[in-house]
Amino acid sequence: MRSHNPFTLTGKTILITGASSGIGQGIAVACASQGAKVLLLGRDLERLKETIALCENGCDHGMISLDLADDTKIKEEFESFVKPYAPIDGFVHAAGISPTIPFKVMKKNQVLETFQLNLFSAITLIQTLSKSALKSSEGMSMVMISSVMSEVGEKGKSLYAMTKAAMVGMVKSLALEYADKNIRFNAISPSVINTPLSLKSEYRKDDAAMKLVQSQHPLGLGEIEDVANAAVYLLSDASKWATGTNMIVDGGYLAR
Ligand SMILES: NC(=O)c1ccc[n+]([C@@H]2O[C@H](COP(=O)([O-])OP(=O)(O)OC[C@H]3O[C@@H](n4cnc5c(N)ncnc54)[C@H](OP(=O)(O)O)[C@@H]3O)[C@@H](O)[C@H]2O)c1
């Protein structure tokens, strides 16, 4: 019988954006419970401290308050933060916003702001983390939190869907570009997960709309741990042959 647990994250150091809330916070807690050292990135320092308090082995972990809307700041501050923790084994980009904007009134600045946070910031972070001085010689796993909106549409969600589909496109090409450096890239596409972000959704304000959303999910709406456990798998050696995939975690939403 095998004694090694391929799902363990013991000995791995993993950077997580969006770690001050919702899915990112849940991923941080799940990674720490599997033995990882976690490096948390968000803007709200108090909520990052709350995440650390929820993590096992709290004193091992690190955190940085950084506004991902500001690419110049990322370039100035991120590398010096992460350097002392190198080598880095994993990265999860969970920071994101989900605007609902009818296409006919969409403004260029809204497009740029949403792309900056959901995608462009991830590009800068990936380019930094994949430097040979930072990446683990054992390989790395990078996980982008996309959305079922990468696969299907919804009224008012064209901007959000563009950013999430772009993420999946990026993951596939980077999987090929970085395979010889042993860096794996995968996306996770959740449907509705009960988090502060999804609690603000328009359909939550209307009983009939909420019932419709519930009926579209044969297994009910998702919980943070449903995404966190998928992320643990993709960050662990259990997924060492998985790269360039988009893992759908949606309670059956896309199976209809
Ligand atoms: N919840 C869902 O139903 C669902 C479904 C599919 C996909 N997703 C995706 O999952 C990811 C996480 O969503 P969530 O529901 O967990 O959202 P959430 O609870 O609102 O958390 C969003 C996170 O993004 C961070 N963030 C926002 N703006 C930032 C900025 N300018 N700079 C740095 N960090 C920033 C926030 O940090 P601060 O608060 O500290 O600024 C927070 O930690 C998003 O990419 C979302 O698109 C969510």
Side-chain angles (χ1 to χ4, degrees), residues 16 45 47 85 108 121 124 161 181 197 203 241:
I16 300 146
L45 209 50
R47 280 195 279 112
Y85 295 103
K108 181 86 177 281
S121 64
T124 308
K181 296 190 173 56
L197 181 131
Y203 58 78
W241 208 47

mmCIF file of all heavy atoms in Angstrom, residues 16 45 47 85 108 121 124 161 181 197 203 241:
data_model
loop_
_atom_site.group_PDB
_atom_site.id
_atom_site.type_symbol
_atom_site.label_atom_id
_atom_site.label_comp_id
_atom_site.label_asym_id
_atom_site.label_seq_id
_atom_site.Cartn_x
_atom_site.Cartn_y
_atom_site.Cartn_z
ATOM 1 N N ILE A 16 -1.801 33.311 -2.890
ATOM 2 C CA ILE A 16 -3.235 33.366 -3.230
ATOM 3 C C ILE A 16 -3.696 34.820 -3.245
ATOM 4 O O ILE A 16 -3.567 35.534 -2.231
ATOM 5 C CB ILE A 16 -4.063 32.571 -2.191
ATOM 6 C CG1 ILE A 16 -3.613 31.108 -2.180
ATOM 7 C CG2 ILE A 16 -5.559 32.654 -2.506
ATOM 8 C CD1 ILE A 16 -3.667 30.450 -0.844
ATOM 9 N N LEU A 45 -6.172 44.767 4.975
ATOM 10 C CA LEU A 45 -5.212 44.098 5.863
ATOM 11 C C LEU A 45 -5.904 43.390 7.035
ATOM 12 O O LEU A 45 -5.500 42.293 7.439
ATOM 13 C CB LEU A 45 -4.220 45.142 6.385
ATOM 14 C CG LEU A 45 -2.819 44.667 6.720
ATOM 15 C CD1 LEU A 45 -2.200 43.858 5.595
ATOM 16 C CD2 LEU A 45 -1.932 45.865 7.049
ATOM 17 N N ARG A 47 -8.870 42.046 7.111
ATOM 18 C CA ARG A 47 -9.491 40.781 6.678
ATOM 19 C C ARG A 47 -8.428 39.748 6.281
ATOM 20 O O ARG A 47 -8.644 38.550 6.428
ATOM 21 C CB ARG A 47 -10.518 41.035 5.573
ATOM 22 C CG ARG A 47 -11.845 41.530 6.179
ATOM 23 C CD ARG A 47 -13.004 41.456 5.229
ATOM 24 N NE ARG A 47 -12.992 42.589 4.332
ATOM 25 C CZ ARG A 47 -12.748 42.517 3.024
ATOM 26 N NH1 ARG A 47 -12.513 41.359 2.466
ATOM 27 N NH2 ARG A 47 -12.754 43.595 2.294
ATOM 28 N N TYR A 85 10.299 34.427 0.457
ATOM 29 C CA TYR A 85 9.561 33.160 0.621
ATOM 30 C C TYR A 85 9.903 32.140 -0.472
ATOM 31 O O TYR A 85 9.400 31.017 -0.438
ATOM 32 C CB TYR A 85 8.055 33.415 0.588
ATOM 33 C CG TYR A 85 7.548 34.248 1.731
ATOM 34 C CD1 TYR A 85 7.241 35.602 1.553
ATOM 35 C CD2 TYR A 85 7.362 33.701 2.995
ATOM 36 C CE1 TYR A 85 6.765 36.378 2.599
ATOM 37 C CE2 TYR A 85 6.888 34.464 4.052
ATOM 38 C CZ TYR A 85 6.592 35.800 3.840
ATOM 39 O OH TYR A 85 6.123 36.557 4.881
ATOM 40 N N LYS A 108 -15.396 52.320 -21.879
ATOM 41 C CA LYS A 108 -14.040 51.799 -22.057
ATOM 42 C C LYS A 108 -13.317 51.666 -20.702
ATOM 43 O O LYS A 108 -12.618 50.687 -20.453
ATOM 44 C CB LYS A 108 -13.293 52.758 -22.994
ATOM 45 C CG LYS A 108 -11.868 52.368 -23.322
ATOM 46 C CD LYS A 108 -11.803 51.407 -24.501
ATOM 47 C CE LYS A 108 -10.402 51.059 -24.905
ATOM 48 N NZ LYS A 108 -9.743 52.077 -25.710
ATOM 49 N N SER A 121 -3.660 41.824 -14.031
ATOM 50 C CA SER A 121 -2.856 41.686 -12.805
ATOM 51 C C SER A 121 -2.278 40.274 -12.719
ATOM 52 O O SER A 121 -1.123 40.084 -12.307
ATOM 53 C CB SER A 121 -3.682 42.011 -11.560
ATOM 54 O OG SER A 121 -4.734 41.089 -11.401
ATOM 55 N N THR A 124 0.882 39.968 -14.837
ATOM 56 C CA THR A 124 2.078 40.525 -14.176
ATOM 57 C C THR A 124 2.575 39.590 -13.068
ATOM 58 O O THR A 124 3.781 39.351 -12.934
ATOM 59 C CB THR A 124 1.752 41.923 -13.597
ATOM 60 O OG1 THR A 124 1.176 42.707 -14.637
ATOM 61 C CG2 THR A 124 2.993 42.607 -13.074
ATOM 62 N N ALA A 161 -17.742 37.986 -18.649
ATOM 63 C CA ALA A 161 -17.494 36.762 -19.424
ATOM 64 C C ALA A 161 -16.236 36.893 -20.290
ATOM 65 O O ALA A 161 -15.466 35.945 -20.425
ATOM 66 C CB ALA A 161 -18.707 36.448 -20.297
ATOM 67 N N LYS A 181 9.355 23.897 -18.585
ATOM 68 C CA LYS A 181 9.862 24.457 -17.314
ATOM 69 C C LYS A 181 9.122 23.826 -16.129
ATOM 70 O O LYS A 181 9.288 24.243 -14.982
ATOM 71 C CB LYS A 181 9.684 25.973 -17.302
ATOM 72 C CG LYS A 181 10.503 26.657 -18.384
ATOM 73 C CD LYS A 181 10.517 28.156 -18.239
ATOM 74 C CE LYS A 181 11.478 28.782 -19.217
ATOM 75 N NZ LYS A 181 11.202 28.412 -20.638
ATOM 76 N N LEU A 197 -19.383 38.214 -2.755
ATOM 77 C CA LEU A 197 -19.572 38.719 -4.120
ATOM 78 C C LEU A 197 -20.909 38.257 -4.690
ATOM 79 O O LEU A 197 -21.688 39.049 -5.214
ATOM 80 C CB LEU A 197 -18.417 38.251 -5.014
ATOM 81 C CG LEU A 197 -18.411 38.699 -6.471
ATOM 82 C CD1 LEU A 197 -17.045 39.269 -6.852
ATOM 83 C CD2 LEU A 197 -18.716 37.540 -7.383
ATOM 84 N N TYR A 203 -30.094 38.775 -8.850
ATOM 85 C CA TYR A 203 -31.139 37.756 -8.692
ATOM 86 C C TYR A 203 -31.455 37.465 -7.232
ATOM 87 O O TYR A 203 -32.533 36.961 -6.904
ATOM 88 C CB TYR A 203 -30.761 36.468 -9.453
ATOM 89 C CG TYR A 203 -29.442 35.858 -9.036
ATOM 90 C CD1 TYR A 203 -29.346 35.121 -7.867
ATOM 91 C CD2 TYR A 203 -28.302 36.030 -9.806
ATOM 92 C CE1 TYR A 203 -28.136 34.580 -7.473
ATOM 93 C CE2 TYR A 203 -27.083 35.481 -9.424
ATOM 94 C CZ TYR A 203 -27.008 34.755 -8.253
ATOM 95 O OH TYR A 203 -25.813 34.224 -7.856
ATOM 96 N N TRP A 241 -0.220 15.488 -13.885
ATOM 97 C CA TRP A 241 -0.370 15.278 -15.341
ATOM 98 C C TRP A 241 -1.479 16.151 -15.927
ATOM 99 O O TRP A 241 -1.853 16.005 -17.078
ATOM 100 C CB TRP A 241 -0.645 13.788 -15.618
ATOM 101 C CG TRP A 241 -0.170 13.352 -16.968
ATOM 102 C CD1 TRP A 241 1.033 13.609 -17.535
ATOM 103 C CD2 TRP A 241 -0.912 12.592 -17.936
ATOM 104 N NE1 TRP A 241 1.107 13.061 -18.793
ATOM 105 C CE2 TRP A 241 -0.080 12.414 -19.062
ATOM 106 C CE3 TRP A 241 -2.175 12.020 -17.955
ATOM 107 C CZ2 TRP A 241 -0.472 11.710 -20.186
ATOM 108 C CZ3 TRP A 241 -2.578 11.309 -19.080
ATOM 109 C CH2 TRP A 241 -1.727 11.157 -20.187
#
